[in-house]
Amino acid sequence: MNRYGLWQYLIIAVSLLLGLLYTLPNFYGESPAIQISPLRISTSSDTALLQRVEETLKQADLEMNGILLEEGSIKVRFADTDLQMKAKDLLESVLGNEYIIALNLLPNSPQWLTNLGALPMYLGLDLRGGVHFMLAVDMEGALEKSLDRYSIDIRSTLREKKISYTGLEKQAKKLIIKFRDVESRSKAEAELKSNFADFALSTEEADNRYHLIAEIKPEVQIRMQDSAVMQNITTLRNRVNELGVAEPIIQKAGADRVIVQLPGVQDTAKAKDILGRTATLEVRMVDDEHDLDAALRGRIPAGTELHQERGGSPILVKKQVLLTGERITDAQPGFDKDNQPAVHVSLDNNGSRIFKQLTRENVGRRMAILLIEKNTAEVVTAPVIREEIGGGRVQISGRMTSLEARDVALLLRAGALAAPMDIIEERTVGPSLGADNITRGFNSTLYGFIAVAIFIAAYYTAFGVISVIALAFNLLLLVGLLSIMQATLTLPGMAALALTVGMAIDANVLINERIRDELRAGASPQLAIHSGYERAFGTILDSNITTLIAGIALFAFGSGPVKGFAVVLCLGIMTSVFTAIFVSRGMVNFMYGSLRKLDNIPIGITWVPEPSLVTGKSDLLSENEITKTTGSTEPKRSEQTKESSIKPDIVSQTSVINEDESVVEDSAKARAIAKNKAKSKRKSADTKKTKQ
């Protein structure tokens, strides 16, 4: 009845072994390290670079705790963070801009555990330290940029199809294309319908002009907004990678929010500067035809804008954008022919074709290269086009420092943000505060486990000890699963871990109380164990399923810390059901299942109610005293008194009441005696009345 097969014990043993194996790396801790990765694909990390790094650190007397080449990057361990920071500054000056030097933390677990794939959990920002940003995407700006891009494509299409038009304006989320006659407008409308399905087209006439109005469809606007958020996430990830941050967290939060967490970064100003900048390039033509002095007095010609060159000189630039930074494939800092800092830009095939055509058609005219940052345009340089430029390589120079050239190249290389972003939340967590959070979280779980273990072991004795072992096994499996999944453990996750300790013991309490109920009902110990587990299963399953549904809802609709809490909670529910039903029963079966004669089981005090509590007629029943026995129990009856009300003497017992004298039989006999006495009293009363 209460026996497991060999395969069931093997499942328990294998689960215990795997849980222990994958939990061990979390107890070895982590050591500060730096990670050296190549900036470009053409640059590789090899043994020669490893030897160079090792020799550089030895010459500077910076002691290492280990150096290895792993997954295309070099990782160097140090004893403390001071050595880590000194080594980072030294290697940045020696290796230059060809490599990313990132701060990191490496696990101290033995190599044989690492070879088995046993790695510790990742620590979240609140446990490791670093900076946290929440950025809001400007959706209006995303639509504006989309309209700018569409206007360039529409101009190119009309020019290729030789459809004449008098102008194109952007007004209130729509494009207005002006024509001289209806025939040109009809041709353009047919062409735009076939090539630009994202627009809803309409016509109007104003001032003897024929206008074609193109508005982005509502469903397309929603798609553009989602695309802008995802493109910004990709761009931010590229920027963060080049900042030299190991294991950053960049994820979407809601419809227009992005969360950026940079573990180990303490320079908040630098991180904000790089993340918030929306640098991109625009190539336009300089307007040398109109009077600059009149523009300075406020009379700016239509279709042009007044900007400032580097150095403060004003310049008129046409609004029409001929080329944007979206065509950039690479950007590197360097120097021009005069040995001044510059940025060398490489264009893709379409960008190369457009730039070649632009320079061929405008020889002798000035071309302005504008750097757009946070909706502010600055003319970096405005050279005169001397000849056609092919090959897709452009040089940007003009009164910039080496540091500025490096930052501009980084932003252009990482890509432009699809829409401007504003930082609406900022948090900085120091490494000492993170270590303090880890200590407090661990202690809360430990003290909670000890308190629960003492109470359960004292209340349920041997079965309580089995429940405590199952609870420890539950924690072991939970931490092992989180390590296998390489989940990120945050402070809310540690709170869920402590909560799991209290919730997981509920299943064991239900089982133990069910076994007690079976003993009270007169079942034998073996039958009570079997029925207790079988009948408690449904209740345990129902209660945990409802909690699991709540955890899934938290994961689906929550974000950030809420998701971390939900993951640990859901995994804890599954491991607690497994350990309470399968593992604890395996231990009970191993201890008691092979015993043929089992008179009692150590499950604490079993409270047996008096018959009077069942029948509710204490004035008609005699007093019963049920005492603790080691074998079968025999209710001992005291002498019956005339005016006695039953005292519920309830004493502990660990055995079962014999089937031949149960409480129910005592109750039935008591009711029969009371009924006979009542009848005799009525008969005697009737007899007295008759005699009188």
Side-chain angles (χ1 to χ4, degrees), residues 62-90:
L62 295 177
E63 185 178 354
M64 302 174 292
N65 286 351
I67 182 170
L68 70 154
L69 177 62
E70 185 180 51
E71 297 178 355
S73 63
I74 295 173
K75 298 176 182 178
V76 188
R77 298 175 184 268
F78 297 94
D80 52 52
T81 54
D82 291 338
L83 290 174
Q84 179 193 33
M85 297 302 298
K86 291 179 181 178
K88 181 178 184 295
D89 295 338
L90 175 63

Side-chain angles (χ1 to χ4, degrees), residues 206-405:
D207 299 331
N208 295 326
R209 299 278 183 176
Y210 301 92
H211 295 173
L212 181 63
I213 301 174
E215 294 184 84
I216 300 177
K217 298 177 181 178
E219 61 273 16
V220 176
Q221 290 185 20
I222 296 174
R223 190 176 69 243
M224 284 180 177
Q225 291 176 354
D226 293 338
S227 175
V229 174
M230 298 310 297
Q231 181 179 338
N232 278 7
I233 289 175
T234 302
T235 302
L236 290 174
R237 186 172 288 113
N238 292 336
R239 294 183 180 183
V240 168
N241 288 340
E242 297 206 9
L243 272 175
V245 180
E247 301 168 9
I249 297 174
I250 304 172
Q251 59 188 12
K252 184 179 179 182
D256 60 345
R257 304 290 172 88
V258 178
I259 290 177
V260 180
Q261 294 184 351
L262 309 176
V265 174
Q266 300 300 319
D267 189 354
T268 309
K270 179 67 174 178
K272 287 172 63 176
D273 181 58
I274 294 298
L275 292 179
R277 293 171 70 176
T278 56
T280 185
L281 283 183
E282 287 184 358
V283 176
R284 306 183 195 177
M285 296 306 299
V286 175
D287 187 358
D288 292 325
E289 301 171 359
H290 293 89
D291 187 8
L292 181 61
D293 293 333
L296 290 174
R297 289 192 296 269
R299 295 196 298 271
I300 301 176
T304 61
E305 293 177 345
L306 182 63
H307 291 287
Q308 296 285 334
E309 283 190 272
R310 293 207 165 176
S313 302
I315 185 173
L316 277 176
V317 180
K318 293 184 178 180
K319 289 184 178 180
Q320 182 180 359
V321 180
L322 303 175
L323 188 66
T324 65
E326 295 179 356
R327 305 297 184 183
I328 294 175
T329 59
D330 191 20
Q332 296 295 331
F335 298 93
D336 59 11
K337 61 182 180 180
D338 297 327
N339 204 27
Q340 296 297 317
V343 179
H344 301 281
V345 178
S346 299
L347 304 175
D348 60 11
N349 292 332
N350 289 331
S352 300
R353 178 180 56 80
I354 294 172
F355 194 75
K356 182 178 181 180
Q357 180 181 357
L358 171 66
T359 53
R360 181 175 65 245
E361 295 175 354
N362 294 280
V363 173
R365 301 177 61 188
R366 296 177 69 194
M367 175 182 66
I369 299 179
L370 289 82
L371 182 66
I372 313 296
E373 288 192 73
K374 294 184 179 180
N375 296 325
T376 301
E378 179 188 16
V379 179
V380 179
T381 182
V384 177
I385 301 174
R386 301 298 182 187
E387 59 182 3
E388 176 183 325
I389 302 174
R393 293 191 61 83
V394 182
Q395 178 180 287
I396 305 171
S397 61
R399 297 185 179 92
M400 64 173 64
T401 64
S402 299
L403 181 60
E404 188 177 8

